[in-house]
Amino acid sequence: MFLKGLNRSGREWFSSLPACLLLLAVVLFSTSSDIHNQMLRGGEQLFGGYYKLRTDPVRPECDPTRDIDAAVAAELAAEADADDPLADLLGSVDKDPAEVRRSVERSVADCQRSHASYVSLQGQLTPALRAYRAVELFVADVIAFGLESQRYILVILVMLCAVSATLTRHHIAMRAMETRLDYRVSFGLQALANAMLLGSSVIFRQSSLAAEVTMASDALLLHNLWVAGFAALTLASLYRLMRIPDDLAAGGQLNQALLAVPLYTVMCLISGSYFALIGHASGIGIYLGKMMELADMFLNVGLYVWVGMMLKQTRLATLVFNVFRPWRLPPEMLAVVAVLVAAVPTAYTGASGIFVIAAGAVIYSELRAAGARRQLALAATAMSGSLGVVLRPCLLVVVIAYLNREVTTDELFGWGIWVFVLTAAMFSLVALSVNRQGRFELAPASTALPATIRALGSLLPYALVITAVVVFYRFALDVTMDEFSAPRLLPVIMLAILLYEHFSLRRKEDGSCGELNHQGLERSVRSATNDTTAEIGALLLLLGLSVSIGGVIERSHVMAAFPQSFDSAWSAMLLMVVILVVLGMIMDAFGAVILVTATVATIAYGSGIHPVHFWMVTLVAFELGYLSPPVALNHLLTRQVVGEAEVAAAQREGGTFYQRHERIIMPLVAMGLSLLLVAFVPLLFYA
């Protein structure tokens, strides 16, 4: 796919191609486990007793023709000749000849059965079985290799994509670089932070070597990969620092330039400085190493980003909007529809930020095309992923259940449906009442309904493609679509959709039926992977440094200043809400969940707050934090995907105070009301 043509950019060859191969390897390794399970079942059905035939049977060493009488006589004679120094003191007990005979007979019978089993198994080792076994054992080796390689794949993927994000200026910051001062300050501090990461990794490596007499080769390789990766990242930032683009304006202000520093850099400088001051220079390296304990989770995040970028290459989002377009919905109502519909794919992409990165540009452009104000379109885009994080099969909920034995995914997803209904109602109420700037006049049903049915017909082939993949996995591999299988099924589904579009739209082009801008399968996957590399680098590096910030909070014992439990669940909940929203403002979701599990959760449980209730509050509070200044991560991601020019144009729009700041205020009001209701209403029934 990527070998076509020799005029590809260096980024595609040295970043996108390896990233694509790594992501495909993750999908292959995870799918091979399902294939292997089916092969074991198939082997048992085709060859009875296949589990015993997975290795060549070994001939028993015992003698099946052993003379029983001679064996009994020999054992009795051996007893008589035995010289036991304790016999005189304890008294000797003669063996019963009948008992000795029965023992020898049982031994000979067992030996004969072992030989009979050996002969039977030898007879079943047909050429067909040997061939089948060779394939099955090869798949088993692939699975073992894949499980052992997860940590290495994650490190290589993070470092590779982080370098790509640095070279393409794609890291997440409060504002974009506009002046030369912005550029110098941003990349100067990035180089300092990356050097700090490199130094911490080197010190961690040396201290690990000194602490262990013989370090395992896999652990040493992991250390070396971190060191090599951060060395490359440092060089990339220094390279960028020395090559200032010509399109940047001269001058600039220092306070504005500091806002252009990536968030991961700020987190690194804070955590690195703290660990250096307490004499624990390897601290960042240690906490980044903790990512390896949840390597499969972070790899799933990368897969979800890739899925989102492939979704952006399809016509699926546009076709969904076509279903509602004939009704000529007012912009406010269309924003509600967009946010509600986006909840489902959000649940399958793991976190709201991932979905904003994946589909935010499409949602924004479709709302603008329908006549929505820029402020309204930006608000809906930023909030498009906020409602679906409580729905099955969201990866974040799976991580919560994995880290906390007090809750299960079924409990969380069961109550998550009601939380979704509540947040959807609050957003609809705010959008359709406070935000309404005109009369709601829908198109006549006689006109809109036929067009909607035709639009649904365009979605039917996509539904069939998705169903075909899900049914194949269900019956061929015995894998159902759930929160555990979604990360490996979704990439296959998206590739199948791109393959369908490749052939169906190409036929339309040959028949002069339009769609002349369709890129084709190869270019679509290549474009999606190009976008994926930068986004994975920015997101996973930010996530990793969020874990490091969590380590600072944990080691500084800030939470020790709070009581370990409260007499009143109401007082405890008030404190929980404040803490959780603040964490949502400054940390990525997955890093924040790890920190909350280790600190805040125990206080909540000890204060009488039900675990399921607490985690529902946590999810809503995080989403409010991602929408809240000063950081407002979802707004930063929205700006990153829609472009700085659109955000600047929205800020220049006039109107009332609310209309000028609608993109910030509307999500805060909707999610703020939802959080208050989710946090305190259930306490009326059990506190």
Side-chain angles (χ1 to χ4, degrees):
M1 175 182 305
F2 285 88
L3 300 178
K4 179 183 176 182
L6 298 175
N7 58 347
R8 306 293 168 85
S9 67
R11 178 189 169 198
E12 290 180 348
W13 282 106
F14 297 106
S15 177
S16 298
L17 173 59
C20 181
L21 295 177
L22 288 173
L23 293 170
L24 286 173
V26 174
V27 175
L28 175 63
F29 289 146
S30 58
T31 305
S32 62
S33 177
D34 304 321
I35 296 174
H36 185 247
N37 291 335
Q38 290 300 100
M39 291 189 71
L40 288 176
R41 295 175 185 173
E44 192 65 25
Q45 293 175 355
L46 293 173
F47 314 99
Y50 177 74
Y51 290 101
K52 296 180 180 179
L53 296 167
R54 295 185 71 229
T55 57
D56 287 336
V58 178
R59 179 185 294 275
E61 297 181 356
C62 61
D63 182 7
T65 61
R66 183 182 180 189
D67 189 326
I68 296 177
D69 292 333
V72 171
E75 188 167 341
L76 292 174
E79 179 190 9
D81 295 339
D83 184 12
D84 189 352
L86 297 179
D88 295 336
L89 296 175
L90 301 178
S92 60
V93 179
D94 294 335
K95 289 186 178 179
D96 183 1
E99 183 65 31
V100 172
R101 174 172 289 277
R102 283 193 294 269
S103 176
V104 172
E105 288 175 346
R106 285 195 297 267
S107 176
V108 172
D110 290 340
C111 180
Q112 291 173 346
R113 282 193 294 270
S114 297
H115 276 270
S117 175
Y118 169 76
V119 172
S120 174
L121 292 176
Q122 281 289 98
Q124 296 179 57
L125 288 177
T126 62
L129 185 142
R130 292 181 183 275
Y132 186 91
R133 185 179 66 179
V135 176
E136 182 264 313
L137 292 176
F138 171 77
V139 175
D141 291 338
V142 170
I143 295 172
F145 175 77
L147 292 175
E148 294 175 358
S149 303
Q150 278 189 333
R151 297 177 299 165
Y152 311 122
I153 292 176
L154 176 60
V155 175
I156 296 172
L157 188 65
V158 170
M159 293 291 94
L160 187 71
C161 295
V163 170
S164 178
T166 300
L167 294 175
T168 57
R169 294 190 292 170
H170 210 80
H171 285 295
I172 302 168
M174 299 287 288
R175 60 183 293 270
M177 303 177 197
E178 298 177 355
T179 66
R180 290 176 176 268
L181 182 62
D182 295 345
Y183 189 91
R184 290 193 182 97
V185 170
S186 178
F187 276 104
L189 291 179
Q190 283 185 61
L192 177 61
N194 294 334
M196 190 177 289
L197 289 169
L198 174 59
S200 180
S201 298
V202 171
I203 295 173
F204 182 36
R205 178 184 182 277
Q206 294 306 115
S207 61
S208 299
L209 285 172
E212 300 182 26
V213 179
T214 55
M215 178 179 286
S217 58
D218 56 343
L220 182 59
L221 176 59
L222 206 57
H223 281 293
N224 292 338
L225 287 175
W226 279 117
V227 172
F230 286 128
L233 190 59
T234 303
L235 292 175
S237 55
L238 289 173
Y239 170 80
R240 265 300 182 187
L241 179 61
M242 293 184 294
R243 297 178 64 89
I244 301 177
D246 297 329
D247 58 347
L248 295 176
Q253 298 180 356
L254 182 60
N255 59 340
Q256 295 291 322
L258 290 174
L259 295 177
V261 178
L263 295 181
Y264 94 88
T265 300
V266 176
M267 292 181 176
C268 178
L269 294 174
I270 293 173
S271 56
S273 300
Y274 172 80
F275 287 127
L277 288 174
I278 66 173
H280 190 54
S282 60
I284 301 181
I286 292 174
Y287 279 97
L288 284 176
K290 287 188 175 183
M291 292 177 66
M292 301 301 99
E293 299 174 7
L294 296 172
D296 54 344
M297 181 195 78
F298 292 108
L299 287 174
N300 287 344
V301 172
L303 289 176
Y304 280 133
V305 174
W306 194 35
V307 166
M309 293 303 141
M310 286 192 285
L311 173 64
K312 193 163 66 172
Q313 296 296 321
T314 70
R315 301 169 62 242
L316 198 53
T318 301
L319 294 176
V320 171
F321 272 95
N322 288 345
V323 174
F324 304 98
R325 191 170 284 116
W327 297 91
R328 295 200 295 271
L329 299 176
E332 296 83 4
M333 189 175 292
L334 187 60
V336 171
V337 170
V339 171
L340 296 184
V341 172
V344 175
T346 298
Y348 282 93
T349 51
S352 60
I354 298 175
F355 181 78
V356 172
I357 289 174
V362 176
I363 291 176
Y364 179 81
S365 61
E366 290 294 337
L367 289 175
R368 288 288 295 148
R373 306 176 299 280
R374 282 191 175 90
Q375 288 281 349
L376 175 62
L378 289 172
T381 302
M383 201 173 171
S384 59
S386 297
L387 305 190
V389 295
V390 292
L391 299 178
R392 191 183 297 271
C394 182
L395 177 63
L396 189 59
V397 176
V398 177
V399 172
I400 290 173
Y402 175 81
L403 296 176
N404 296 268
R405 299 293 181 87
E406 295 83 0
V407 295
T408 64
T409 54
D410 288 338
E411 290 175 330
L412 293 174
F413 286 130
W415 284 102
I417 295 175
W418 296 106
V419 173
F420 166 72
V421 172
L422 174 63
T423 53
M426 289 298 102
F427 178 71
S428 302
L429 178 65
V430 173
L432 300 180
S433 59
V434 179
N435 281 56
R436 189 176 65 178
Q437 297 187 15
R439 297 179 60 186
F440 289 172
E441 295 181 357
L442 303 182
S446 58
T447 303
L449 189 57
T452 296
I453 294 175
R454 287 194 297 272
L456 287 173
S458 300
L459 286 172
L460 182 59
Y462 292 85
L464 293 176
V465 170
I466 295 172
T467 302
V469 174
V470 173
V471 169
F472 172 80
Y473 268 82
R474 175 64 183 88
F475 290 99
L477 302 178
D478 195 25
V479 175
T480 57
M481 185 69 161
D482 56 25
E483 60 269 28
F484 305 105
S485 62
R488 61 183 183 272
L489 260 72
L490 288 174
V492 179
I493 289 174
M494 293 312 305
L495 288 171
I497 289 176
L498 287 173
L499 185 64
Y500 160 73
E501 288 192 347
H502 174 75
F503 289 106
S504 64
L505 299 183
R506 186 175 66 178
R507 285 199 299 270
K508 288 185 178 182
E509 292 173 12
D510 294 341
S512 301
C513 295
E515 302 294 347
L516 297 177
N517 60 347
H518 179 61
Q519 299 185 87
L521 178 63
E522 188 267 342
R523 288 188 179 181
S524 296
V525 176
R526 178 154 51 92
S527 298
T529 309
N530 288 341
D531 294 338
T532 299
T533 53
E535 299 297 351
I536 287 179
L539 194 60
L540 288 185
L541 200 57
L542 178 62
L543 200 157
L545 269 300
S546 293
V547 175
S548 183
I549 286 290
V552 171
I553 296 174
E554 184 179 5
R555 281 184 170 266
S556 62
H557 303 293
V558 172
M559 297 307 301
F562 298 95
Q564 295 305 299
S565 64
F566 289 78
D567 295 332
S568 170
W570 294 82
S571 301
M573 181 59 75
L574 180 61
L575 177 64
M576 296 297 104
V577 166
V578 174
I579 292 175
L580 294 171
V581 172
V582 171
L583 288 178
M585 290 181 182
I586 62 175
M587 293 186 68
D588 180 83
F590 296 98
V593 164
I594 296 172
L595 176 62
V596 168
T597 298
T599 55
V600 182
T602 55
I603 299 176
Y605 302 158
S607 302
I609 298 175
H610 193 280
V612 175
H613 181 203
F614 169 75
W615 285 109
M616 288 294 104
V617 173
T618 299
L619 291 171
V620 180
F622 281 175
E623 293 305 321
L624 178 59
Y626 304 146
L627 296 165
S628 302
V631 179
L633 181 60
N634 280 11
H635 287 289
L636 296 180
L637 296 175
T638 298
R639 187 195 68 199
Q640 188 161 319
V641 297
V642 305
E644 188 71 28
E646 287 296 314
V647 177
Q651 293 173 339
R652 291 193 298 267
E653 291 179 348
T656 64
F657 177 83
Y658 179 87
Q659 292 170 346
R660 294 197 309 272
H661 302 281
E662 184 178 9
R663 68 187 182 95
I664 300 293
I665 297 176
M666 185 179 75
L668 290 181
V669 173
M671 292 305 295
L673 291 174
S674 300
L675 178 59
L676 291 176
L677 294 174
V678 172
F680 295 104
V681 170
L683 293 179
L684 295 172
F685 298 95
Y686 74 85

